[in-house]
Amino acid sequence: MLAKTMLLFTTLTLMLMLFGYIIGIALSVDPLSLVLVGLIFATIINFASYAWSDKFVLWSTHARLITESDNPQLYSIVRNVAMKANIPMPSVGIVESAQPNAFATGRGPGKAIVVATTGILRTLTPAELEAVIGHEISHVTHRDVLVASIAATIAGTISFLGQIILFNSFYFGGSRNRNNNNAGILMIIAAILIPLGAMLVQLGISRSRETSADVAGARLTEKPQELINALRKISTRASASQWTQANAPAPSTASLWFVNPLKGSAWTEIFSTHPSLDRRIANITKVAQEMGIWVT
């Protein structure tokens, strides 16, 4: 999974370099300068998001931190899984929602927060909940918040450069390209398609990290069957309609959750933050076979 993620990051970087080169030709400016401006702009935004990610996520998901006395069972499960992963005890949070789901956030093992909905506490058995927490703790140990921030920085830079092209084309008539209509048309096409491609690659990185967390979580807790059971239960129950306007999580946090909390029936995998249910079960089944555990 690391190799796949690195390949996707390399693809994003090459797209950024290509886009900067095309813009430089179109606007008759130094492409490197534009790329650097966009990169600095996106880096500042995403560094701020990363630095305060835990506070932003808690606010945007309507989660509240709890103490052990508030929910001893959840606290105990998180503590046991954290001990298996050899990381400090994360903070624990709750989201009041009928939808069974969970997520983890934080900049690393020392700053982690694991959050569960009240729905998941009612829906899963303790063993299934432990398997889900294992998945979330694996996100923490893999520093996936940092990975997502870097991907967002590169993709955001590409989007920023695309907006420069479209702004120049539509508001200034592409004055630098009036003598070359074909070049102007090519630039507009590139400004639309390359940022779209970058978004798809960014989503691919998100799906890759989810697959990696499934695999690592199954190994960590040694509960692949329970993880599969949890996936089936949650995937059949999770839908955007379960959230009220008052407690719906922000779309920007969708990739953090165990199952996309805002998914609808029209979503296809290529535009999803998560792999399909069948693909996730197949990956966990493969890991279970390697562990010598029979799953159904």
Side-chain angles (χ1 to χ4, degrees):
M1 294 305 160
L2 178 60
K4 181 179 180 180
T5 300
M6 291 305 299
L7 176 61
L8 290 170
F9 268 122
T10 301
T11 302
L12 266 181
T13 304
L14 291 175
M15 291 174 71
L16 175 60
M17 295 171 64
L18 173 63
F19 205 17
Y21 179 74
I22 293 175
I23 293 175
I25 293 176
L27 303 182
S28 300
V29 298
D30 179 15
L32 182 60
S33 298
L34 275 177
V35 171
L36 287 176
V37 169
L39 189 61
I40 291 171
F41 179 77
T43 298
I44 291 173
I45 292 176
N46 286 288
F47 175 78
S49 299
Y50 172 69
W52 291 286
S53 60
D54 50 354
K55 295 179 178 62
F56 169 77
V57 170
L58 290 176
W59 171 77
S60 61
T61 58
H62 312 281
R64 61 179 178 85
L65 296 181
I66 64 171
T67 62
E68 185 168 6
S69 60
D70 293 321
N71 196 309
Q73 182 183 62
L74 176 59
Y75 235 87
S76 175
I77 290 174
V78 173
R79 179 184 292 111
N80 290 339
V81 176
M83 290 177 62
K84 290 180 180 179
N86 195 29
I87 66 170
M89 174 66 185
S91 298
V92 179
I94 290 285
V95 172
E96 296 289 338
S97 172
Q99 182 181 121
N101 224 322
F103 70 85
T105 188
R107 297 189 297 276
K111 296 281 188 179
I113 304 173
V114 176
V115 176
T117 65
T118 51
I120 200 173
L121 300 178
R122 292 191 296 265
T123 302
L124 302 187
T125 68
E128 291 166 350
L129 181 59
E130 180 181 345
V132 172
I133 298 302
H135 168 102
E136 299 306 333
I137 292 291
S138 295
H139 276 308
V140 172
T141 58
H142 293 164
R143 297 182 183 272
D144 283 339
V145 172
L146 175 59
V147 172
S149 297
I150 295 173
T153 296
I154 301 175
T157 302
I158 293 174
S159 177
F160 173 78
L161 296 178
Q163 291 174 24
I164 288 178
I165 290 180
L166 293 176
F167 184 84
N168 177 74
S169 299
F170 291 118
Y171 289 93
F172 295 100
S175 58
R176 296 182 184 271
N177 286 316
R178 279 182 184 148
N179 296 326
N180 192 338
N181 290 332
N182 290 334
I185 293 172
L186 178 63
M187 286 304 307
I188 293 175
I189 293 174
I192 296 172
L193 294 184
I194 293 182
L196 176 62
M199 180 193 72
L200 295 178
V201 173
Q202 185 182 5
L203 289 172
I205 291 174
S206 175
R207 291 192 296 272
S208 177
R209 303 320 298 160
E210 287 299 322
T211 299
S212 180
D214 280 340
V215 170
R219 292 187 184 280
L220 178 64
T221 62
E222 298 182 333
K223 288 180 168 57
Q225 181 66 71
E226 288 79 2
L227 185 58
I228 290 174
N229 293 345
L231 268 171
R232 286 175 175 151
K233 287 183 179 180
I234 295 173
S235 294
T236 57
R237 290 169 171 82
S239 70
S241 63
Q242 291 177 311
W243 300 90
T244 65
Q245 188 174 1
N247 78 344
S252 59
T253 67
S255 63
L256 293 176
W257 296 78
F258 181 63
V259 171
N260 189 327
L262 303 175
K263 72 183 184 74
S265 59
W267 283 82
T268 58
E269 186 174 348
I270 192 172
F271 292 108
S272 176
T273 55
H274 294 63
S276 67
L277 174 62
D278 289 343
R279 188 177 296 272
R280 293 181 74 173
I281 290 176
N283 289 328
I284 298 169
T285 299
K286 182 179 179 181
V287 173
Q289 292 171 347
E290 295 172 356
M291 297 169 65
I293 299 175
W294 176 260
V295 297
T296 58

